[in-house]
Every structure is written in structure tokens, then in C-alpha cells.
Amino acid sequence: MPTRDHRLDRAKGILIFAVVLGHLLARTGPWDDEVLSAPMYLIYSFHMPAFVFLAGITAKSTRLPERVLTFLVLLFTVLPLMWGWLWLFELDADYSFLTPFWYSWFLLSMAYWIITVPFIERFPRTLLVTSVVVGLFGGILPLLDTELSASRSMIFWPFFVVGKLYGKQILNWAGGLRIWQKLFFTAAALGTIGYFYLDEVDHHWLYGSLNFAHFGVSIPEGVGLRLIVDIGALLMTLMLLMWVGEKDNLIAKIGRHSLAIYVIHGFVVRGFQPLLDDSLDVYSAPIVLSICLLLALLTTYVLSWSPFERSLRWYSSTVTNLLLKPFAPLRTKAGGHSEKTSS
């Protein structure tokens, strides 16, 4: 039996904490503050590309309908529940079903990317080149933006494809580097993010949710900036994989439960929003950062409890099975035909 690679769990654990912290900090209006913008540039430079890369490593083409539907079920559950949650706290429900709200874009994009897995396995080189071209040049298209998670799905797709094709090799390579090599790549990664911070690069580039027209740049400028941001994300992802470690501990447990944390944490963050909105008017930036760090640690730890993960998986699998039940005879016939053909 293959043993579980705890490096993946630990990396996911660190990344999901970064997601929670980034979303809490985002409620404080951090981008115009010198202190709070530093961790925001650090987090948003790589946390979602790295997550997508890790998702590619574990992606499989088996049971494809179940895998795709699981994310769609979660998406269409989160959207109305979040609307009701925002109404309860008298917050602006600034989303529509065509524009997945806030963090829920990832659930729809995962469904897209999983659909491409069989094609990645069948045509690896073609899909690798295609994903890179789409990721770099997709911002040219004026009609594809936040609607249906189109922009992010295109921009982050190369990380998924690379993770699927070469993720395990990259993980082993990064973990096997010597200390001086790790320090070199770490300096390169932090230097790149330091450039983003010091030059005050528009942080919306890190979101990956807008096309070139929104930034008012030419196509060569847009492609060049997209490439620089992607290189920064790649270097930061490598830095994470270099230092992540292999021990099965609390961080690894948090990583194993990262999907539940991701889905539920948005409700917690929005619940804290009334307290965080004007926090910089009351407290200094270091204190606000400390409060967000404490809330992120507490939120991540509590949501990593097994009942949350089990409940979410039970719900998503139950609804998915119900949706697929009418098609069971067709799938059984297809399976039987395949067996006869292979024999």
C-alpha cells in the first residue's frame, strides 16, 4: 500500500492558513497601509497558484462525474447560504450566480480543471503548451473576466497542468536541494515579492480576476506583467515545497481538512467583518495584524476539527450520488461494455 505524502498535507495546511489570514486582513483595507500590505503581497503572490499546483498533483481522471459534481454542489450550496449570511449581518451581497462570489470562484474553477484531466493525461505536451498560452494571453479577451470565474480559470490553469504532469518530481526535487540552494531560491522568491511591494504593483494583478483592459495596458505589457507575476508565484511555491518538511503533525491534519476549512471559513470571516472594517481607525497596523493572526490561527484550528470535514464530505457525496442516480443504468451499461471490450 502506498504511504501518504505528508509534505502535501503540510503544504496545504500552511496555504489554507494563509488563505484565512489573507481574507481576514482584506476586511481591514490593508493595501494602502505600509505594514499590512507587506503580508498581503506575500500571501496573494502565491497562495492560490500553489493550491492549484497541489490540486494538480492529486487530480485523477477516475470517477470524473463525481469529482466535478462535488465542487459544483459545494458551489451552489455556498452561494445562497452566503447571501443569507450577508443579509443577516446587513452586509452587501455583491455577487451573482454568473460571478461566483469572492472565494467561491475556486470551486467552479476546480470543476473546469478536473474536466481537463483526461486530456492532460492523453495529450500532456499539447495541454501544457496550451495552458501556458491561455494563462499568459487570456487577458486579451475582453468578454472573459470575473464572469463564471473565466479569468482566474485561465490564468491559474498552467499551475494545475504542471502539478498534474510534473508535481511529484518537482516536490521531490525541491525537498532534496542542499541548504545553500534552498537559501538561493528563497532569496529569489522573497526578492521578487519585495519588488512587488516596493514598486507598489497593482495588487489586482495578483488576484488574476481581471483582463488587460481593466489595467489599461497594451498586450505586450499585459503578457509581460502576467509572466512576472507567474514567476513570482512559481518561486514562492518552490520556496514552500523546499522548507515544508515531512512530519505528520497538526499542520498536516489541517492540510488534510483544507477543503472544509476553505468552504466554511468565508462565513467566519464575514462574521468578523463588522469588527474589522474600521479597525485601522481604532488600532495601529501592528495591532490589527496581530488580531488577524490570532483570529486566523483560531479559525483554522477550529475548522480543522474532524466533524466539519466529515459533515462536508457526507453532504457533498450524498447530494452528488442523488444527482447521478438517474444515470446509474447508463453508467453500468458503459462499464459492462468496456469490460466486454477489454476481454
Side-chain angles (χ1 to χ4, degrees):
M1 293 292 291
T3 57
R4 189 180 185 95
D5 193 337
H6 298 301
R7 293 175 298 178
L8 295 177
D9 294 330
R10 287 170 64 90
K12 289 180 181 179
I14 294 169
L15 288 171
I16 196 62
F17 169 75
V19 168
V20 177
L21 176 60
H23 286 162
L24 285 167
L25 285 171
R27 299 300 106 198
T28 68
W31 291 108
D32 294 325
D33 183 272
E34 290 185 358
V35 174
L36 297 184
S37 62
M40 288 294 285
Y41 272 107
L42 183 68
I43 292 170
Y44 278 82
S45 67
F46 83 108
H47 72 318
M48 291 316 298
F51 243 131
V52 175
F53 173 82
L54 296 179
I57 294 178
T58 56
K60 299 177 182 178
S61 58
T62 57
R63 301 178 62 245
L64 203 64
E66 288 87 344
R67 298 180 191 279
V68 172
L69 266 180
T70 293
F71 285 100
L72 294 180
V73 166
L74 292 175
L75 172 67
F76 289 108
T77 301
V78 166
L79 289 178
L81 287 179
M82 182 60 75
W83 185 90
W85 189 251
L86 293 175
W87 175 83
L88 182 65
F89 284 88
E90 298 182 348
L91 299 172
D92 181 26
D94 52 348
Y95 77 95
S96 69
F97 278 95
L98 287 180
T99 305
F101 172 81
W102 186 24
Y103 71 107
S104 65
W105 70 266
F106 179 69
L107 301 174
L108 181 56
S109 294
M110 274 299 301
Y112 294 152
W113 296 325
I114 290 173
I115 292 173
T116 69
V117 170
F119 301 98
I120 297 171
E121 293 175 346
R122 181 67 179 85
F123 310 103
R125 294 181 181 179
T126 301
L127 266 292
L128 176 61
V129 173
T130 302
S131 68
V132 172
V133 171
V134 167
L136 291 178
F137 291 88
I140 297 174
L141 301 174
L143 299 178
L144 297 179
D145 211 339
T146 56
E147 292 80 4
L148 297 175
S149 301
S151 181
R152 282 170 166 145
S153 298
M154 292 188 297
I155 286 172
F156 296 136
W157 187 31
F159 292 91
F160 183 84
V161 176
V162 171
K164 172 62 181 173
L165 295 177
Y166 308 109
K168 292 181 181 178
Q169 297 95 310
I170 293 174
L171 182 62
N172 292 329
W173 172 81
L177 292 175
R178 297 179 179 180
I179 291 296
W180 71 266
Q181 293 172 315
K182 293 182 179 181
L183 292 174
F184 171 79
F185 281 108
T186 298
L190 295 179
T192 304
I193 307 311
Y195 161 74
F196 295 160
Y197 170 71
L198 294 174
D199 200 50
E200 297 182 350
V201 172
D202 189 337
H203 61 272
H204 290 95
W205 281 102
L206 307 180
Y207 293 167
S209 58
L210 301 174
N211 56 40
F212 295 163
H214 282 274
F215 298 102
V217 297
S218 65
I219 292 175
E221 288 175 320
V223 173
L225 282 167
R226 185 75 262 156
L227 179 61
I228 293 172
V229 170
D230 285 352
I231 290 173
L234 176 62
L235 289 172
M236 287 295 296
T237 301
L238 288 175
M239 187 184 78
L240 172 66
L241 300 179
M242 289 171 193
W243 300 105
V244 70
E246 303 179 11
K247 188 176 180 181
D248 184 12
N249 57 8
L250 178 60
I251 297 176
K253 176 190 174 184
I254 290 172
R256 288 192 289 272
H257 297 173
S258 59
L259 180 59
I261 299 172
Y262 189 88
V263 171
I264 303 172
H265 88 280
F267 297 90
V268 178
V269 170
R270 286 298 194 169
F272 284 128
Q273 182 173 338
L275 302 175
L276 297 173
D277 274 344
D278 301 317
S279 56
L280 282 175
D281 297 332
V282 181
Y283 305 107
S284 65
I287 292 178
V288 171
L289 177 59
S290 300
I291 292 172
C292 289
L293 279 168
L294 181 61
L295 290 175
L297 286 169
L298 184 62
T299 300
T300 305
Y301 174 70
V302 172
L303 295 184
S304 70
W305 292 352
S306 297
F308 290 109
E309 176 76 7
R310 289 198 299 266
S311 298
L312 188 77
R313 292 195 178 278
W314 174 85
Y315 167 76
S316 60
S317 63
T318 300
V319 176
T320 297
N321 290 334
L322 286 174
L323 292 173
L324 289 175
K325 191 173 182 179
F327 304 97
L330 296 176
R331 300 176 70 191
T332 301
K333 289 179 181 180
H337 176 74
S338 299
E339 290 177 3
K340 292 178 180 179
T341 302
S342 62
S343 61

